[in-house]
């Protein structure tokens, strides 16, 4: 996991990751799912599968649970430094992907430090200007982190530095809340009694919020389907990543993205 992507690209032609991507490139596999080095997977994917016309960089996207269901968050770490044009491309890809996967006229927002027009860095402001002029994208403006979890948008866009921190912080928070609840319900006999009564609801909540249920980030913008699993994922998490890949195969996502992107970019 600590190797540079360039080392995997040039020095390991027989790595399992590269062989899997070559099978996708050659049409012998429909998708690649990997829990390996993210940077190496991205570099190899771009080299072997290429990006769709009009896309400079692929973006990692996953479904994040919200009060009203879930939203698609991108980028999650593939692109730490992004220009306004990159953020615009991510927004367009995220909107098309969300619509393809069943969300009608998805609401698209840029993650920012405030909802006012004057807030944000130069890249975010320029990306907002591009999205305001875009036809076919339901851009609703800026959104803050709390608005994401309240379900105020269906697609939330940010650079990979911010997105990765947000995702990992969310996973850590969910784990901490679950651990604190278990600790509280074991603290006394009355608490144990309450815990027993609440157990069915707590199990349902844990099932909805556990990171493994949402494991699997897609590399949008490639001419093939690649899904990145969390490196520490267990069986349940790997199953989630496989389900994500299967859904994109069934929906023929890269081809549908290509068909829509040429009218939006």
């Amino acid at each position: 996991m600590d190797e540079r992507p360039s080392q995997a690209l040039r020095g390991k032609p027989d790595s399992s990751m590269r062989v899997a991507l070559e099978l996708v490139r050659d049409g012998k596999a429909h998708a690649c799912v990997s829990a390996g080095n993210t940077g190496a997977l991205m570099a190899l994917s771009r080299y072997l599968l290429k990006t769709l016309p009009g896309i400079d960089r692929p973006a990692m996207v996953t479904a994040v649970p919200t009060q009203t269901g879930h939203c698609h968050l991108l980028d999650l770490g593939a692109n730490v430094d992004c220009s306004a044009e990159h953020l615009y491309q991510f927004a367009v890809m995220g909107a098309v992907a969300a619509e393809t996967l069943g969300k009608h006229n998805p609401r698209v927002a840029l993650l920012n430090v405030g909802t006012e027009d004057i807030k944000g860095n130069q890249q975010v402001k320029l990306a907002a200007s591009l999205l305001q002029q875009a036809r076919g994208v339901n851009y609703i403006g800026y959104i803050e982190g709390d608005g994401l979890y309240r379900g105020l948008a269906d697609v939330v866009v940010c650079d990979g530095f911010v997105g990765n921190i947000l995702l990992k912080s969310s996973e850590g928070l969910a784990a901490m809340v679950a651990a604190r609840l278990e600790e509280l319900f074991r603290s006394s006999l009355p608490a144990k009694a309450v815990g027993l009564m609440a157990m069915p609801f707590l199990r349902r909540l844990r099932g909805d919020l556990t990171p493994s249920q949402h494991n699997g980030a897609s590399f949008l913008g490639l001419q093939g389907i690649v899904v990145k699993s969390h490196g520490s994922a267990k069986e349940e998490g790997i199953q989630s990543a496989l389900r994500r890949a299967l859904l994109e195969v069934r929906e023929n996502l890269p081809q549908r993205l290509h068909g829509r992107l040429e009218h939006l970019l």
Side-chain angles (χ1 to χ4, degrees):
M1 295 299 286
D2 59 350
E3 289 180 349
R4 292 181 179 275
S6 58
Q7 185 175 350
L9 185 64
R10 300 188 184 97
K12 293 191 173 182
D14 298 321
S15 67
S16 60
M17 187 183 290
R18 180 164 186 150
V19 171
L21 290 167
E22 288 175 343
L23 291 173
V24 175
R25 179 198 62 190
D26 298 339
K28 297 178 181 179
H30 290 96
C32 169
V33 177
S34 174
N37 184 306
T38 303
L41 184 64
M42 174 60 75
L44 287 166
S45 297
R46 291 184 65 181
Y47 177 73
L48 293 170
L49 301 179
K50 312 303 182 185
T51 57
L52 293 168
I55 298 299
D56 296 329
R57 299 180 181 180
M60 292 175 64
V61 61
T62 195
V64 176
T66 69
Q67 289 182 15
T68 58
H70 67 270
C71 78
H72 298 274
L73 175 65
L74 71 165
D75 179 41
L76 300 177
N79 306 280
V80 175
D81 297 308
C82 297
S83 67
E85 181 64 30
H86 294 144
L87 294 175
Y88 172 72
Q89 291 177 11
F90 297 167
V92 172
M93 288 195 294
V96 174
E99 189 171 359
T100 299
L101 298 175
K103 192 67 180 182
H104 175 67
N105 196 29
R107 299 162 297 169
V108 179
L110 288 168
L111 188 62
N112 201 358
V113 295
T115 58
E116 300 85 359
D117 291 339
I118 61 172
K119 296 290 182 68
N121 58 31
Q122 194 66 18
Q123 290 90 335
V124 170
K125 291 178 181 179
L126 290 174
S129 178
L130 292 172
L131 286 168
Q132 287 166 354
Q133 302 171 35
R135 295 181 179 181
V137 177
N138 182 18
Y139 175 64
I140 62 171
Y142 296 146
I143 192 173
E144 294 182 82
D146 63 330
L148 184 156
Y149 291 106
R150 280 157 46 202
L152 301 183
D154 303 303
V155 177
V156 175
V157 180
C158 58
D159 64 52
F161 184 86
V162 172
N164 190 270
I165 292 175
L166 173 61
L167 182 66
K168 299 292 177 58
S169 299
S170 302
E171 293 173 351
L173 177 62
M176 184 200 72
V177 170
R180 287 289 182 89
L181 284 173
E182 287 186 9
E183 188 177 309
L184 285 172
F185 286 133
R186 292 174 180 171
S187 61
S188 66
L189 284 176
K192 289 179 180 179
V194 174
L196 286 173
M197 290 186 290
M199 191 59 66
F201 303 101
L202 292 174
R203 285 175 177 169
R204 181 177 176 182
L205 179 63
R206 173 176 281 187
D208 291 339
L209 298 182
T210 182
S212 63
Q213 289 293 327
H214 307 279
N215 181 53
S218 305
F219 283 1
L220 287 184
L222 292 171
Q223 297 184 41
I225 295 172
V226 179
V227 175
K228 173 66 175 69
S229 167
H230 200 295
S232 61
K234 306 301 183 184
E235 291 91 339
E236 188 179 23
I238 295 296
Q239 288 175 351
S240 175
L242 290 169
R243 285 194 297 269
R244 174 91 188 193
L246 181 60
L247 176 62
E248 294 186 9
V249 170
R250 287 173 173 168
E251 296 297 331
N252 203 11
L253 186 57
Q255 286 71 24
R256 294 181 69 170
L257 270 172
H258 175 55
R260 291 289 309 280
L261 289 174
E262 61 182 355
H263 302 294
L264 295 172
L265 294 177

